[in-house]
Amino acid sequence: MIDLHCHLLPGVDDGPATLDETLDYARTAVREGTETIVATPHVEHVDVGELPERVREVRGALAEEGIELGVECGGELKPFSLPSLSDEDLDLIAHGPQGRRWVLLEVPFRGLGEDLLQGVEELRRRGFAALLAHPERASSFRATIPVLHEQVERGARIQMNVGPLTGAESPEREDAARRLLRTGLPDALATDAHPPGRPYTLRLGRELAIESGASEADAVRLVDDGPRALLEQGLGFQP
C-alpha cells in the first residue's frame, strides 16, 4: 500500500516531534502493509528547500533501524501559500513525470470556495495538476460534489482521509466520507497521519472502506493501484 498524505517528518509541523516518534510510526505502518509513504508536511511551517534533505535524513534513520519503508518528498499546501512558492519549490514537492506533475492541495475546512478554485487554476497555469486533499472534511460537503465532478473532469484528482471513516472526527464527516466513497471520485485513500496523536494506517483505511460499502477491489485501488499510478504516471490536465 502507498500513502500519499502523511505527516511523517519529525520536528516540522504538527506531526511527530522527534525522530523516535517518526520511527515508531514507520514500524507500525510497515507492519500493517505500507510500502511507501509520501512525507507531506504543511509547507507553511518549513522552508521547502530543506525538505529533500529532511527526507534523506529519515531514509537514513530507517535504513539504520532496518525498517523497509520507502519515503518520498512531498508537501501539503494551502491555496493561500501558492504565491509564496516558486515553480522550483512546487517541483520539489510534486510527483509524476515531467509534463504530468501534480501537488497535494488542501481543501479548506470551509469548503471548495473561490480561494481553492483559484489555487487550482494557478497551479494549472504554472504547469501542475492538483490532488485535492480530504474534501469530505469540508463543511457543506453535499454542495461541493458537483464542483468535485467538474474538477475531476478537468484533470484534478481526489484524495480522501482514513480519519473521517472511523467516526472519530464527527458524524457529519463520517457521513460525508461514505458519500464520497459512493461517488467513485477518489483515486486515493490516505492516512493524513499525525503521529503519535493520529496514528492511522492504510490497513485500517482499507478495512473501513469495505465496511462503508466499497468492494474489496475498490478498496485495494484506493490504497495501492490509484496512489501507485499517481506517483508513476502523474496527471494530465486541461489548462
Side-chain angles (χ1 to χ4, degrees):
M1 294 182 284
I2 296 175
D3 192 355
L4 295 182
H5 185 174
C6 181
H7 296 261
L8 183 69
L9 300 184
V12 172
D13 56 9
D14 51 348
T18 66
L19 182 58
D20 283 342
E21 290 179 346
T22 293
L23 295 174
D24 285 345
Y25 178 75
R27 291 186 187 95
T28 299
V30 169
R31 186 169 60 248
E32 295 292 296
T34 299
E35 67 176 60
T36 300
I37 286 177
V38 180
T40 54
H42 296 289
V43 300
E44 298 79 23
H45 297 281
V46 65
D47 180 344
V48 172
E50 296 178 0
L51 289 178
E53 179 56 31
R54 288 178 179 266
V55 168
R56 282 192 288 270
E57 290 172 355
V58 168
R59 287 174 179 163
L62 291 169
E64 287 182 7
E65 294 294 317
I67 303 170
E68 296 184 359
L69 177 70
V71 180
E72 301 295 328
C73 183
E76 180 182 16
L77 63 150
K78 301 179 188 299
F80 69 74
S81 303
L82 275 168
S84 66
L85 298 176
S86 68
D87 289 354
E88 291 75 18
D89 290 333
L90 290 175
D91 201 54
L92 285 176
I93 59 173
H95 307 280
Q98 291 302 317
R100 298 180 61 86
R101 304 281 277 166
W102 59 267
V103 296
L104 185 68
L105 183 65
E106 181 178 26
V107 175
F109 290 153
R110 63 181 174 275
L112 278 77
E114 282 303 311
D115 54 347
L116 179 78
L117 299 180
Q118 289 171 5
V120 174
E121 291 300 324
E122 180 176 346
L123 285 172
R124 289 183 178 127
R125 288 195 302 270
R126 295 170 66 175
F128 298 90
L131 179 64
L132 301 178
H134 51 64
E136 75 279 7
R137 301 181 79 198
S139 61
S140 304
F141 172 74
R142 292 190 194 187
T144 71
I145 293 177
V147 182
L148 291 176
H149 276 283
E150 178 185 355
Q151 291 303 315
V152 167
E153 288 174 0
R154 296 191 59 199
R157 290 295 181 267
I158 309 298
Q159 172 260 302
M160 62 183 297
N161 277 10
V162 172
L165 288 172
T166 69
E169 294 191 9
S170 71
E172 292 78 15
R173 287 184 180 178
E174 182 180 8
D175 179 68
R178 291 172 183 262
R179 288 178 180 276
L180 183 57
L181 266 179
R182 290 196 292 269
T183 68
L185 286 172
D187 273 64
L189 175 62
T191 65
D192 193 6
H194 288 60
R198 279 162 45 188
Y200 300 128
T201 66
L202 287 179
R203 181 179 296 278
L204 173 63
R206 186 180 67 193
E207 293 170 353
L208 290 171
I210 293 171
E211 289 176 12
S212 300
S215 68
E216 186 169 349
D218 276 343
V220 170
R221 176 183 64 81
L222 288 169
V223 298
D224 186 353
D225 301 336
R228 194 178 304 275
L230 284 165
L231 287 182
E232 294 177 357
Q233 300 170 22
L235 284 178
F237 60 94
Q238 300 175 27

mmCIF file of all heavy atoms in Angstrom, residues 85-120:
data_model
loop_
_atom_site.group_PDB
_atom_site.id
_atom_site.type_symbol
_atom_site.label_atom_id
_atom_site.label_comp_id
_atom_site.label_asym_id
_atom_site.label_seq_id
_atom_site.Cartn_x
_atom_site.Cartn_y
_atom_site.Cartn_z
ATOM 1 N N LEU A 85 5.419 30.482 -3.159
ATOM 2 C CA LEU A 85 6.230 29.363 -3.620
ATOM 3 C C LEU A 85 6.610 29.547 -5.084
ATOM 4 O O LEU A 85 5.759 29.854 -5.928
ATOM 5 C CB LEU A 85 5.463 28.048 -3.463
ATOM 6 C CG LEU A 85 5.070 27.648 -2.041
ATOM 7 C CD1 LEU A 85 4.222 26.380 -2.059
ATOM 8 C CD2 LEU A 85 6.306 27.439 -1.171
ATOM 9 N N SER A 86 7.887 29.349 -5.367
ATOM 10 C CA SER A 86 8.344 29.410 -6.754
ATOM 11 C C SER A 86 7.990 28.119 -7.479
ATOM 12 O O SER A 86 7.617 27.113 -6.861
ATOM 13 C CB SER A 86 9.863 29.614 -6.788
ATOM 14 O OG SER A 86 10.524 28.453 -6.289
ATOM 15 N N ASP A 87 8.123 28.133 -8.797
ATOM 16 C CA ASP A 87 7.908 26.898 -9.554
ATOM 17 C C ASP A 87 8.896 25.823 -9.120
ATOM 18 O O ASP A 87 8.564 24.629 -9.100
ATOM 19 C CB ASP A 87 8.066 27.158 -11.050
ATOM 20 C CG ASP A 87 6.914 27.988 -11.620
ATOM 21 O OD1 ASP A 87 5.952 28.269 -10.885
ATOM 22 O OD2 ASP A 87 6.991 28.359 -12.809
ATOM 23 N N GLU A 88 10.108 26.243 -8.759
ATOM 24 C CA GLU A 88 11.119 25.283 -8.281
ATOM 25 C C GLU A 88 10.683 24.664 -6.956
ATOM 26 O O GLU A 88 10.871 23.464 -6.728
ATOM 27 C CB GLU A 88 12.475 25.965 -8.126
ATOM 28 C CG GLU A 88 13.132 26.365 -9.446
ATOM 29 C CD GLU A 88 12.505 27.586 -10.093
ATOM 30 O OE1 GLU A 88 11.776 28.353 -9.392
ATOM 31 O OE2 GLU A 88 12.722 27.780 -11.300
ATOM 32 N N ASP A 89 10.096 25.482 -6.072
ATOM 33 C CA ASP A 89 9.577 24.952 -4.811
ATOM 34 C C ASP A 89 8.488 23.914 -5.077
ATOM 35 O O ASP A 89 8.475 22.830 -4.471
ATOM 36 C CB ASP A 89 8.980 26.075 -3.951
ATOM 37 C CG ASP A 89 10.025 27.019 -3.389
ATOM 38 O OD1 ASP A 89 11.179 26.596 -3.203
ATOM 39 O OD2 ASP A 89 9.670 28.191 -3.134
ATOM 40 N N LEU A 90 7.569 24.260 -5.960
ATOM 41 C CA LEU A 90 6.488 23.336 -6.276
ATOM 42 C C LEU A 90 7.031 22.031 -6.841
ATOM 43 O O LEU A 90 6.542 20.949 -6.504
ATOM 44 C CB LEU A 90 5.510 23.973 -7.268
ATOM 45 C CG LEU A 90 4.646 25.120 -6.733
ATOM 46 C CD1 LEU A 90 3.825 25.724 -7.862
ATOM 47 C CD2 LEU A 90 3.725 24.636 -5.622
ATOM 48 N N ASP A 91 8.044 22.127 -7.665
ATOM 49 C CA ASP A 91 8.584 20.908 -8.272
ATOM 50 C C ASP A 91 9.231 20.004 -7.224
ATOM 51 O O ASP A 91 9.241 18.781 -7.385
ATOM 52 C CB ASP A 91 9.594 21.261 -9.368
ATOM 53 C CG ASP A 91 9.787 20.121 -10.344
ATOM 54 O OD1 ASP A 91 8.781 19.638 -10.906
ATOM 55 O OD2 ASP A 91 10.935 19.689 -10.541
ATOM 56 N N LEU A 92 9.768 20.590 -6.152
ATOM 57 C CA LEU A 92 10.374 19.783 -5.092
ATOM 58 C C LEU A 92 9.352 18.901 -4.385
ATOM 59 O O LEU A 92 9.692 17.827 -3.888
ATOM 60 C CB LEU A 92 11.069 20.684 -4.059
ATOM 61 C CG LEU A 92 12.398 21.310 -4.459
ATOM 62 C CD1 LEU A 92 12.888 22.246 -3.358
ATOM 63 C CD2 LEU A 92 13.438 20.234 -4.727
ATOM 64 N N ILE A 93 8.103 19.350 -4.319
ATOM 65 C CA ILE A 93 7.087 18.584 -3.607
ATOM 66 C C ILE A 93 6.084 17.946 -4.562
ATOM 67 O O ILE A 93 5.076 17.375 -4.124
ATOM 68 C CB ILE A 93 6.340 19.463 -2.576
ATOM 69 C CG1 ILE A 93 5.657 20.651 -3.236
ATOM 70 C CG2 ILE A 93 7.305 19.939 -1.494
ATOM 71 C CD1 ILE A 93 4.773 21.465 -2.292
ATOM 72 N N ALA A 94 6.349 18.031 -5.861
ATOM 73 C CA ALA A 94 5.448 17.476 -6.871
ATOM 74 C C ALA A 94 5.838 16.039 -7.201
ATOM 75 O O ALA A 94 6.941 15.578 -6.880
ATOM 76 C CB ALA A 94 5.473 18.332 -8.136
ATOM 77 N N HIS A 95 4.943 15.351 -7.899
ATOM 78 C CA HIS A 95 5.148 13.948 -8.253
ATOM 79 C C HIS A 95 4.704 13.703 -9.685
ATOM 80 O O HIS A 95 3.904 14.463 -10.246
ATOM 81 C CB HIS A 95 4.368 13.043 -7.298
ATOM 82 C CG HIS A 95 4.666 13.323 -5.873
ATOM 83 N ND1 HIS A 95 5.790 12.847 -5.236
ATOM 84 C CD2 HIS A 95 4.012 14.081 -4.971
ATOM 85 C CE1 HIS A 95 5.807 13.291 -3.996
ATOM 86 N NE2 HIS A 95 4.739 14.039 -3.815
ATOM 87 N N GLY A 96 5.208 12.609 -10.247
ATOM 88 C CA GLY A 96 4.867 12.250 -11.607
ATOM 89 C C GLY A 96 5.935 12.703 -12.583
ATOM 90 O O GLY A 96 6.800 13.519 -12.260
ATOM 91 N N PRO A 97 5.886 12.184 -13.808
ATOM 92 C CA PRO A 97 6.882 12.546 -14.819
ATOM 93 C C PRO A 97 6.687 13.981 -15.310
ATOM 94 O O PRO A 97 5.636 14.590 -15.102
ATOM 95 C CB PRO A 97 6.615 11.535 -15.945
ATOM 96 C CG PRO A 97 5.187 11.146 -15.767
ATOM 97 C CD PRO A 97 4.922 11.184 -14.287
ATOM 98 N N GLN A 98 7.707 14.514 -15.968
ATOM 99 C CA GLN A 98 7.614 15.870 -16.500
ATOM 100 C C GLN A 98 6.427 15.983 -17.448
ATOM 101 O O GLN A 98 6.146 15.096 -18.239
ATOM 102 C CB GLN A 98 8.904 16.241 -17.237
ATOM 103 C CG GLN A 98 10.097 16.409 -16.308
ATOM 104 C CD GLN A 98 9.868 17.473 -15.240
ATOM 105 O OE1 GLN A 98 9.344 18.548 -15.538
ATOM 106 N NE2 GLN A 98 10.226 17.180 -14.000
ATOM 107 N N GLY A 99 5.733 17.117 -17.333
ATOM 108 C CA GLY A 99 4.542 17.334 -18.127
ATOM 109 C C GLY A 99 3.280 16.783 -17.501
ATOM 110 O O GLY A 99 2.175 17.065 -17.973
ATOM 111 N N ARG A 100 3.450 16.010 -16.412
ATOM 112 C CA ARG A 100 2.290 15.425 -15.726
ATOM 113 C C ARG A 100 2.472 15.523 -14.205
ATOM 114 O O ARG A 100 2.041 14.665 -13.460
ATOM 115 C CB ARG A 100 2.090 13.961 -16.143
ATOM 116 C CG ARG A 100 1.791 13.784 -17.625
ATOM 117 C CD ARG A 100 1.599 12.310 -17.972
ATOM 118 N NE ARG A 100 0.488 11.701 -17.246
ATOM 119 C CZ ARG A 100 -0.776 11.733 -17.639
ATOM 120 N NH1 ARG A 100 -1.114 12.346 -18.765
ATOM 121 N NH2 ARG A 100 -1.721 11.122 -16.939
ATOM 122 N N ARG A 101 3.119 16.602 -13.772
ATOM 123 C CA ARG A 101 3.416 16.766 -12.359
ATOM 124 C C ARG A 101 2.184 17.257 -11.601
ATOM 125 O O ARG A 101 1.379 18.035 -12.116
ATOM 126 C CB ARG A 101 4.562 17.770 -12.162
ATOM 127 C CG ARG A 101 5.843 17.424 -12.914
ATOM 128 C CD ARG A 101 6.637 16.365 -12.208
ATOM 129 N NE ARG A 101 7.473 16.914 -11.156
ATOM 130 C CZ ARG A 101 8.057 16.166 -10.213
ATOM 131 N NH1 ARG A 101 7.869 14.865 -10.183
ATOM 132 N NH2 ARG A 101 8.825 16.729 -9.295
ATOM 133 N N TRP A 102 2.049 16.820 -10.353
ATOM 134 C CA TRP A 102 0.930 17.248 -9.517
ATOM 135 C C TRP A 102 1.406 17.496 -8.095
ATOM 136 O O TRP A 102 2.428 16.967 -7.669
ATOM 137 C CB TRP A 102 -0.204 16.208 -9.513
ATOM 138 C CG TRP A 102 0.200 14.848 -9.025
ATOM 139 C CD1 TRP A 102 0.629 13.799 -9.782
ATOM 140 C CD2 TRP A 102 0.242 14.395 -7.656
ATOM 141 N NE1 TRP A 102 0.938 12.719 -8.985
ATOM 142 C CE2 TRP A 102 0.700 13.050 -7.684
ATOM 143 C CE3 TRP A 102 -0.068 14.979 -6.428
ATOM 144 C CZ2 TRP A 102 0.856 12.295 -6.517
ATOM 145 C CZ3 TRP A 102 0.087 14.226 -5.270
ATOM 146 C CH2 TRP A 102 0.538 12.900 -5.329
ATOM 147 N N VAL A 103 0.633 18.305 -7.373
ATOM 148 C CA VAL A 103 0.933 18.594 -5.972
ATOM 149 C C VAL A 103 -0.332 18.387 -5.146
ATOM 150 O O VAL A 103 -1.454 18.396 -5.654
ATOM 151 C CB VAL A 103 1.468 20.018 -5.768
ATOM 152 C CG1 VAL A 103 2.807 20.204 -6.467
ATOM 153 C CG2 VAL A 103 0.474 21.055 -6.260
ATOM 154 N N LEU A 104 -0.133 18.206 -3.838
ATOM 155 C CA LEU A 104 -1.227 17.988 -2.901
ATOM 156 C C LEU A 104 -1.738 19.339 -2.405
ATOM 157 O O LEU A 104 -1.020 20.084 -1.740
ATOM 158 C CB LEU A 104 -0.727 17.146 -1.720
ATOM 159 C CG LEU A 104 -1.762 16.723 -0.682
ATOM 160 C CD1 LEU A 104 -2.746 15.718 -1.281
ATOM 161 C CD2 LEU A 104 -1.069 16.129 0.546
ATOM 162 N N LEU A 105 -2.983 19.642 -2.718
ATOM 163 C CA LEU A 105 -3.589 20.926 -2.367
ATOM 164 C C LEU A 105 -4.718 20.682 -1.368
ATOM 165 O O LEU A 105 -5.665 19.944 -1.647
ATOM 166 C CB LEU A 105 -4.131 21.610 -3.616
ATOM 167 C CG LEU A 105 -4.732 23.004 -3.436
ATOM 168 C CD1 LEU A 105 -3.669 24.005 -2.998
ATOM 169 C CD2 LEU A 105 -5.397 23.472 -4.734
ATOM 170 N N GLU A 106 -4.605 21.293 -0.211
ATOM 171 C CA GLU A 106 -5.581 21.074 0.850
ATOM 172 C C GLU A 106 -6.889 21.802 0.570
ATOM 173 O O GLU A 106 -6.896 23.000 0.274
ATOM 174 C CB GLU A 106 -5.023 21.549 2.191
ATOM 175 C CG GLU A 106 -5.962 21.325 3.348
ATOM 176 C CD GLU A 106 -5.365 21.750 4.676
ATOM 177 O OE1 GLU A 106 -4.492 22.630 4.706
ATOM 178 O OE2 GLU A 106 -5.793 21.198 5.701
ATOM 179 N N VAL A 107 -7.999 21.069 0.671
ATOM 180 C CA VAL A 107 -9.321 21.694 0.599
ATOM 181 C C VAL A 107 -9.605 22.343 1.945
ATOM 182 O O VAL A 107 -9.601 21.666 2.975
ATOM 183 C CB VAL A 107 -10.405 20.655 0.268
ATOM 184 C CG1 VAL A 107 -11.792 21.300 0.322
ATOM 185 C CG2 VAL A 107 -10.150 20.031 -1.103
ATOM 186 N N PRO A 108 -9.832 23.656 1.984
ATOM 187 C CA PRO A 108 -10.099 24.313 3.272
ATOM 188 C C PRO A 108 -11.332 23.732 3.954
ATOM 189 O O PRO A 108 -12.264 23.259 3.298
ATOM 190 C CB PRO A 108 -10.330 25.776 2.872
ATOM 191 C CG PRO A 108 -9.631 25.933 1.558
ATOM 192 C CD PRO A 108 -9.788 24.609 0.866
ATOM 193 N N PHE A 109 -11.351 23.778 5.279
ATOM 194 C CA PHE A 109 -12.475 23.223 6.026
ATOM 195 C C PHE A 109 -13.783 23.954 5.707
ATOM 196 O O PHE A 109 -14.857 23.381 5.860
ATOM 197 C CB PHE A 109 -12.199 23.274 7.527
ATOM 198 C CG PHE A 109 -11.126 22.309 7.960
ATOM 199 C CD1 PHE A 109 -10.368 22.571 9.091
ATOM 200 C CD2 PHE A 109 -10.866 21.150 7.253
ATOM 201 C CE1 PHE A 109 -9.379 21.684 9.508
ATOM 202 C CE2 PHE A 109 -9.899 20.259 7.650
ATOM 203 C CZ PHE A 109 -9.145 20.529 8.781
ATOM 204 N N ARG A 110 -13.689 25.182 5.252
ATOM 205 C CA ARG A 110 -14.927 25.911 4.923
ATOM 206 C C ARG A 110 -15.487 25.506 3.564
ATOM 207 O O ARG A 110 -16.584 25.940 3.191
ATOM 208 C CB ARG A 110 -14.682 27.417 4.972
ATOM 209 C CG ARG A 110 -13.672 27.922 3.961
ATOM 210 C CD ARG A 110 -13.470 29.426 4.107
ATOM 211 N NE ARG A 110 -12.399 29.908 3.251
ATOM 212 C CZ ARG A 110 -11.121 29.889 3.565
ATOM 213 N NH1 ARG A 110 -10.745 29.410 4.749
ATOM 214 N NH2 ARG A 110 -10.201 30.348 2.740
ATOM 215 N N GLY A 111 -14.739 24.710 2.788
ATOM 216 C CA GLY A 111 -15.291 24.175 1.550
ATOM 217 C C GLY A 111 -14.536 24.581 0.306
ATOM 218 O O GLY A 111 -13.480 25.221 0.361
ATOM 219 N N LEU A 112 -15.107 24.187 -0.838
ATOM 220 C CA LEU A 112 -14.489 24.448 -2.137
ATOM 221 C C LEU A 112 -14.922 25.819 -2.625
ATOM 222 O O LEU A 112 -15.730 25.964 -3.551
ATOM 223 C CB LEU A 112 -14.874 23.372 -3.159
ATOM 224 C CG LEU A 112 -14.059 22.074 -3.111
ATOM 225 C CD1 LEU A 112 -14.506 21.212 -1.944
ATOM 226 C CD2 LEU A 112 -14.207 21.297 -4.405
ATOM 227 N N GLY A 113 -14.371 26.843 -1.999
ATOM 228 C CA GLY A 113 -14.708 28.207 -2.365
ATOM 229 C C GLY A 113 -13.797 28.748 -3.446
ATOM 230 O O GLY A 113 -12.980 28.039 -4.044
ATOM 231 N N GLU A 114 -13.923 30.052 -3.673
ATOM 232 C CA GLU A 114 -13.157 30.685 -4.741
ATOM 233 C C GLU A 114 -11.656 30.597 -4.503
ATOM 234 O O GLU A 114 -10.881 30.493 -5.447
ATOM 235 C CB GLU A 114 -13.569 32.160 -4.885
ATOM 236 C CG GLU A 114 -14.883 32.351 -5.624
ATOM 237 C CD GLU A 114 -14.868 31.729 -7.012
ATOM 238 O OE1 GLU A 114 -13.890 31.979 -7.756
ATOM 239 O OE2 GLU A 114 -15.801 30.990 -7.338
ATOM 240 N N ASP A 115 -11.235 30.627 -3.224
ATOM 241 C CA ASP A 115 -9.799 30.568 -2.966
ATOM 242 C C ASP A 115 -9.214 29.246 -3.442
ATOM 243 O O ASP A 115 -8.144 29.209 -4.058
ATOM 244 C CB ASP A 115 -9.498 30.794 -1.482
ATOM 245 C CG ASP A 115 -10.270 29.854 -0.550
ATOM 246 O OD1 ASP A 115 -11.218 29.199 -1.010
ATOM 247 O OD2 ASP A 115 -9.920 29.808 0.639
ATOM 248 N N LEU A 116 -9.925 28.147 -3.195
ATOM 249 C CA LEU A 116 -9.429 26.851 -3.662
ATOM 250 C C LEU A 116 -9.446 26.771 -5.180
ATOM 251 O O LEU A 116 -8.472 26.339 -5.804
ATOM 252 C CB LEU A 116 -10.258 25.714 -3.079
ATOM 253 C CG LEU A 116 -9.780 24.345 -3.570
ATOM 254 C CD1 LEU A 116 -8.524 23.906 -2.833
ATOM 255 C CD2 LEU A 116 -10.860 23.292 -3.441
ATOM 256 N N LEU A 117 -10.546 27.183 -5.788
ATOM 257 C CA LEU A 117 -10.644 27.100 -7.244
ATOM 258 C C LEU A 117 -9.604 27.981 -7.919
ATOM 259 O O LEU A 117 -9.012 27.599 -8.939
ATOM 260 C CB LEU A 117 -12.057 27.489 -7.696
ATOM 261 C CG LEU A 117 -13.175 26.595 -7.152
ATOM 262 C CD1 LEU A 117 -14.539 27.061 -7.667
ATOM 263 C CD2 LEU A 117 -12.936 25.138 -7.519
ATOM 264 N N GLN A 118 -9.346 29.144 -7.355
ATOM 265 C CA GLN A 118 -8.292 29.998 -7.898
ATOM 266 C C GLN A 118 -6.928 29.346 -7.735
ATOM 267 O O GLN A 118 -6.057 29.467 -8.605
ATOM 268 C CB GLN A 118 -8.321 31.361 -7.212
ATOM 269 C CG GLN A 118 -9.520 32.213 -7.609
ATOM 270 C CD GLN A 118 -9.651 33.467 -6.766
ATOM 271 O OE1 GLN A 118 -8.794 33.766 -5.926
ATOM 272 N NE2 GLN A 118 -10.738 34.203 -6.965
ATOM 273 N N GLY A 119 -6.732 28.622 -6.599
ATOM 274 C CA GLY A 119 -5.477 27.921 -6.395
ATOM 275 C C GLY A 119 -5.268 26.827 -7.431
ATOM 276 O O GLY A 119 -4.164 26.655 -7.966
ATOM 277 N N VAL A 120 -6.320 26.063 -7.724
ATOM 278 C CA VAL A 120 -6.224 25.022 -8.749
ATOM 279 C C VAL A 120 -5.887 25.646 -10.094
ATOM 280 O O VAL A 120 -5.048 25.128 -10.850
ATOM 281 C CB VAL A 120 -7.540 24.223 -8.831
ATOM 282 C CG1 VAL A 120 -7.499 23.235 -9.999
ATOM 283 C CG2 VAL A 120 -7.790 23.469 -7.532
#
